[in-house]
Amino acid sequence: MLKRIESSLNCRAIKTISLMLITVIFLSSCTAESDNSIKNQAPIFTSSANFSVLDDILYTGYQAKAIDDDLDSITYSISGGTDQSRFVIDSTSGKLSFISRPDFSIPQDKNRDNEYEIEISATDDNQAIARLNFKLSILGQNVFLRIPIVVHVLYQDTPTDESNISNEKILSQIAVLNKDYRKNNSDLSNTPTEFKSVIADINIEFEMASVDPNGLPTQGVTRTQDLTYGDSSKIPFSDQGGKDAWPTDQYLNIWLIDGANRHGKVRVAGRGQFPGGDPLTDGVIVAYQAFGTIAPLAFSQELHLGRTTTHEIGHWLNLRHIDGGYSCEKDDGVSDTPLTSTGFSKHPSYPMYSCGSSDMFMNFMTPSVADNELLMFTQGQKERIHAVFLPNGGRHNLYNNLRK
């Protein structure tokens, strides 16, 4: 009889003991010691070596990514390249940013061709390093994205009611959006001097949808009698008296409703859904009395310049109110909009101060003030908006579909 018994005494030792007719061989297990012949593997980059971005923003939208077969953590750094001094990179996330905003008209890269070249390194816990020769192209102030809009008009009683607004009134709102989001509004010059340096062109434009979900030509307007009976939860559902949304990864849905109470005053002028919510309800709801610049309008409430829709689409693009709800502890997540705890009237008087700084009440994301007091977005808000279209952003699918 022969028995083999493994022992961890020594990887090389084999001891044979003979006793009568039984031979016992002790073999040690070689798994107890590490095999130094297996070397640590360097990380492998999975992110692209080329990327393009519009000018005048700090965060490029690019995120370096690498994987490590040894499951080590990875640290990112900028290790070379002719333009390395122009950038910083987050060592943990790999997010790449400019140190100062690039200007397409005045290239700052070494070759002066708006092609920035750097070397990005990914280093694991055992100091194994992978390097990526990366090129970032600056495209200039082109339109980043053009978003098709479908307007669902929910009119009261009969098609002749004033709530069944004209196409001209709808188009007047689109014109306002394209001015406000492209820094072309005629009242922009009213912005106080201290805030002019942060005014941003969002580089997004809007247009009426020209093709419906079935591939047929459309003017981008649906008209339906409102049978929701004041229940706003039913607005986006045809089987509940409202109107179903068109695919929200292809269109921005805007529902127009009667926002007036029994005294004829607009109760809630609008509401925008933040990214990441229910796609069946995704979009913006606006009172027709606060939509566009053509009557019928709530002139007495100064909701007559279309800024309600500008504001609510801001929410749809992930912007929050810049006021802190009477608290300096609540922030909108944007660095260049000052902390504010003030509750504003229709016409705040500049300057106003709270939380140790001047209040930016003329920002489009300030609630409650009159339409003619709202003037601008900031560079930080632009970066927050653009981030929502990145691979991990809440509107990346929309971006992909519109860029095809």
Side-chain angles (χ1 to χ4, degrees):
M1 180 184 299
L2 178 67
K3 294 183 179 180
R4 289 178 177 266
I5 302 176
E6 294 184 354
S7 169
S8 60
L9 293 176
N10 192 308
C11 277
R12 302 301 180 191
I14 301 177
K15 295 184 179 180
T16 306
I17 300 175
S18 299
L19 179 63
M20 298 181 69
L21 296 177
I22 301 176
T23 300
V24 181
I25 300 177
F26 291 89
L27 297 176
S28 67
S29 172
C30 292
T31 60
E33 296 181 3
S34 63
D35 187 344
N36 293 327
S37 65
I38 299 177
K39 296 182 178 179
N40 178 58
Q41 301 297 310
I44 299 173
F45 275 99
T46 59
S47 53
S48 173
N50 296 278
F51 198 74
S52 59
V53 67
L54 296 176
D55 70 350
D56 200 31
I57 60 173
L58 288 177
Y59 175 45
T60 65
Y62 178 79
Q63 185 173 7
K65 290 185 178 180
I67 58 174
D68 188 82
D69 288 342
D70 304 312
L71 302 180
D72 290 340
S73 61
I74 296 174
T75 301
Y76 298 96
S77 62
I78 297 174
S79 51
T82 58
D83 302 302
Q84 62 176 313
S85 64
R86 301 289 177 184
F87 297 89
V88 292
I89 193 168
D90 186 284
S91 61
T92 303
S93 68
K95 291 182 178 181
L96 183 70
S97 299
F98 281 100
I99 292 175
S100 59
R101 290 184 174 86
D103 186 342
F104 182 81
S105 63
I106 309 175
Q108 298 296 315
D109 61 298
K110 185 173 182 179
N111 296 324
R112 297 294 188 266
D113 59 0
N114 282 307
E115 299 283 343
Y116 291 78
E117 299 179 11
I118 62 173
E119 179 186 82
I120 300 174
S121 292
T123 306
D124 68 13
D125 293 335
N126 293 296
Q127 303 306 305
I129 302 174
R131 294 181 173 87
L132 177 70
N133 291 321
F134 177 73
K135 179 181 287 187
L136 181 71
S137 302
I138 301 299
L139 300 179
Q141 291 289 2
N142 300 315
V143 177
F144 174 72
L145 198 64
R146 188 170 282 111
I147 300 176
I149 288 176
V150 53
V151 174
H152 304 294
V153 179
L154 298 183
Y155 62 83
Q156 302 298 305
D157 303 325
T158 68
T160 59
D161 189 85
E162 74 165 23
S163 57
N164 194 11
I165 65 170
S166 67
N167 283 353
E168 288 74 20
K169 180 176 169 68
I170 292 172
L171 292 175
S172 74
Q173 180 63 70
I174 303 302
V176 170
L177 294 175
N178 287 329
K179 290 178 181 178
D180 288 349
Y181 278 83
R182 292 308 310 272
K183 202 173 73 171
N184 287 325
N185 46 307
S186 60
D187 50 2
L188 186 65
S189 60
N190 295 331
T191 305
T193 301
E194 68 170 312
F195 297 130
K196 286 184 176 179
S197 64
V198 298
I199 298 174
D201 176 356
I202 303 300
N203 294 118
I204 290 176
E205 294 183 0
F206 303 87
E207 62 186 3
M208 299 304 298
S210 59
V211 179
D212 73 9
N214 296 317
L216 300 175
T218 181
Q219 292 185 322
V221 181
T222 69
R223 298 180 183 276
T224 307
Q225 184 180 3
D226 185 354
L227 298 176
T228 62
Y229 303 108
D231 187 343
S232 61
S233 67
K234 298 179 179 180
I235 290 171
F237 300 103
S238 297
D239 61 359
Q240 297 182 45
K243 181 64 178 179
D244 289 341
W246 288 10
T248 52
D249 60 354
Q250 300 175 43
Y251 305 91
L252 165 54
N253 288 263
I254 298 178
W255 290 271
L256 299 185
I257 63 168
D258 183 357
N261 60 22
R262 61 190 180 89
H263 302 293
K265 297 292 185 181
V266 173
R267 299 163 301 183
V268 179
R271 185 179 76 229
Q273 180 168 305
F274 284 93
D278 186 348
L280 296 179
T281 61
D282 189 26
V284 172
I285 298 172
V286 182
Y288 75 84
Q289 298 94 331
F291 189 81
T293 58
I294 297 175
L297 289 167
F299 282 102
S300 65
Q301 294 177 264
E302 300 183 84
L303 300 170
H304 59 295
L305 297 179
R307 262 56 191 273
T308 294
T309 308
T310 297
H311 176 101
E312 298 305 335
I313 290 177
H315 289 317
W316 184 79
L317 291 169
N318 206 34
L319 296 184
R320 299 189 177 277
H321 290 159
I322 70 164
D323 71 341
Y326 304 102
S327 171
C328 295
E329 303 300 320
K330 187 176 179 181
D331 188 27
D332 65 345
V334 177
S335 61
D336 59 6
T337 56
L339 286 173
T340 302
S341 63
T342 306
F344 299 110
S345 62
K346 282 286 184 182
H347 296 282
S349 178
Y350 175 83
M352 297 183 69
Y353 297 93
S354 65
C355 305
S357 59
S358 179
D359 294 337
M360 191 187 284
F361 61 77
M362 68 295 306
N363 191 283
F364 286 128
M365 297 312 297
T366 303
S368 303
V369 302
D371 273 13
N372 66 345
E373 299 287 357
L374 301 175
L375 306 172
M376 45 87 79
F377 289 113
T378 71
Q379 295 288 343
Q381 288 174 318
K382 174 180 180 177
E383 292 174 16
R384 185 175 173 91
I385 287 173
H386 283 217
V388 85
F389 299 111
L390 296 177
N392 294 325
R395 302 215 177 278
H396 181 63
N397 290 339
L398 173 73
Y399 175 82
N400 270 351
N401 288 330
L402 298 183
R403 299 287 282 191
K404 290 179 180 178

